[in-house]
Amino acid sequence: MKLPRDRSAIALITGASSGIGRATARELAQRGVHVVLTSRREDRLQDLASEIASAGGTVTVRLLDVTDRQAVCGIVSDIQRQLGVIDILVANAGEYIRGEAATLGSAPFEQSMAVNFYGALDLVYEVLPAMIRQKSGHIVVVSTVDAKKGLPLDAPYVAAKAAITGFMDVLRQELRGTGINVTTVLPGRVDTPMIEHLRVPWISAKISPDRVARALVRAIERNRAEVIVPWVGPKSLLLAGAVSVPLADFIVRLFHLEGKKQSP
């Protein structure tokens, strides 16, 4: 996207206390973007804010639980009143909820939807009106490549991420020509606290949050619709699924791509 020339661009980042959100905040701050850091962990946000400020960046910290719709509405209003229009939304906050689909029941799905779907959707609808008025902006949602090929035990997580991925696919097309860009980031396994308990096979080895953040920021700069990172492994699985669903299922079973819970 073209950043505004008359002021520092403003980016709202959810889930900024760790992982992809934290790394993305650093990347954007290095490019002169005023980053607004949000999560439920104030201590970690303050540590990151100090780091960014010490490096010469501009930063604001706000506590936010993305499942609280009233809080989402309030924080966007406060930011726009105090700082100006949000130019970039990075909806990254998420929760990894898993279990055997046949026996789970609906409660884990409701929990996953609250965080991984509505937690992003509500933010999109809060920032969109001002973006539409100024005819510019960039909306980024961090989903997962699992949204395109579900893995065993991940049903609640996959269901919510598939829902937000589908929504973004439609939104991008509807906003074409408005000046607002839309990007969905689809990472494979990422070395974050969310899956630190999970041991994964070498073929889907965990990548660093920094790698995802760099791909995300490049996507903003180049107006990419979708980004899969890393490219080779996940893309190969998706291509196999496009040729034959049973083939993709076999690959998942062969390499145990769902991973295994590590002993404490």
Side-chain angles (χ1 to χ4, degrees):
M1 69 171 290
K2 292 182 179 179
L3 300 178
R5 296 180 178 180
D6 58 337
R7 60 179 175 84
S8 174
I10 298 167
L12 172 61
I13 305 168
T14 66
S17 59
S18 65
I20 296 170
R22 191 178 187 92
T24 299
R26 291 193 186 106
E27 289 287 331
L28 288 172
Q30 289 171 6
R31 288 162 171 77
V33 176
H34 183 135
V35 290
V36 181
L37 313 176
T38 72
S39 83
R40 296 175 296 179
R41 294 293 304 271
E42 184 174 14
D43 55 342
R44 294 184 180 181
L45 291 180
Q46 293 293 353
D47 287 345
L48 178 58
S50 297
E51 175 189 327
I52 290 171
S54 297
T58 53
V59 58
T60 299
V61 170
R62 293 285 188 273
L63 291 180
L64 178 65
D65 179 349
V66 296
T67 66
D68 185 338
R69 288 179 174 173
Q70 186 174 353
V72 168
C73 177
I75 200 169
V76 171
S77 297
D78 287 347
I79 292 166
Q80 291 177 338
R81 183 174 61 253
Q82 297 171 13
L83 303 176
V85 174
I86 295 167
D87 301 288
I88 302 168
L89 169 65
V90 180
N92 165 73
E95 186 176 2
Y96 189 46
I97 301 170
R98 62 189 335 227
E100 293 185 0
T103 59
L104 272 177
S106 62
F109 290 88
E110 292 171 358
Q111 181 184 353
S112 186
M113 290 295 287
V115 178
N116 297 312
F117 178 67
Y118 290 110
L121 186 75
D122 291 340
L123 276 159
V124 170
Y125 280 126
E126 288 299 324
V127 303
L128 257 180
M131 286 183 175
I132 290 172
R133 287 194 298 271
Q134 75 172 7
K135 299 181 180 179
S136 68
H138 204 121
I139 296 170
V140 181
V141 165
V142 178
S143 181
T144 172
V145 74
D146 297 1
K148 299 206 178 253
K149 175 58 185 174
L151 299 178
L153 303 179
D154 285 359
Y157 184 67
V158 167
K161 288 295 191 179
I164 197 62
T165 298
F167 168 78
M168 291 289 282
D169 194 27
V170 173
L171 183 68
R172 184 189 67 253
Q173 296 175 74
E174 291 184 355
L175 292 179
R176 181 177 175 83
T178 65
I180 302 167
N181 301 321
V182 174
T183 297
T184 308
V185 180
L186 304 160
R189 299 295 193 184
V190 184
D191 191 9
T192 70
M194 191 164 71
I195 61 166
E196 63 185 357
H197 65 287
L198 198 64
R199 186 174 73 252
V200 297
W202 63 268
I203 199 169
S204 64
K206 298 176 185 179
I207 62 174
S208 72
D210 291 334
R211 183 172 175 183
V212 181
R214 289 192 295 270
L216 187 157
V217 173
R218 282 196 303 271
I220 294 174
E221 294 172 337
R222 301 174 185 177
N223 188 23
R224 297 278 303 279
E226 281 191 352
V227 176
I228 296 174
V229 56
W231 193 88
V232 176
K235 194 74 171 182
S236 299
L237 180 61
L238 297 184
L239 287 173
V243 172
S244 168
V245 172
L247 173 61
D249 290 351
F250 172 75
I251 292 171
V252 170
R253 292 195 304 275
L254 177 66
F255 292 104
H256 298 284
L257 294 182
E258 72 277 11
K260 295 182 180 180
K261 188 175 181 180
Q262 297 186 102
S263 300

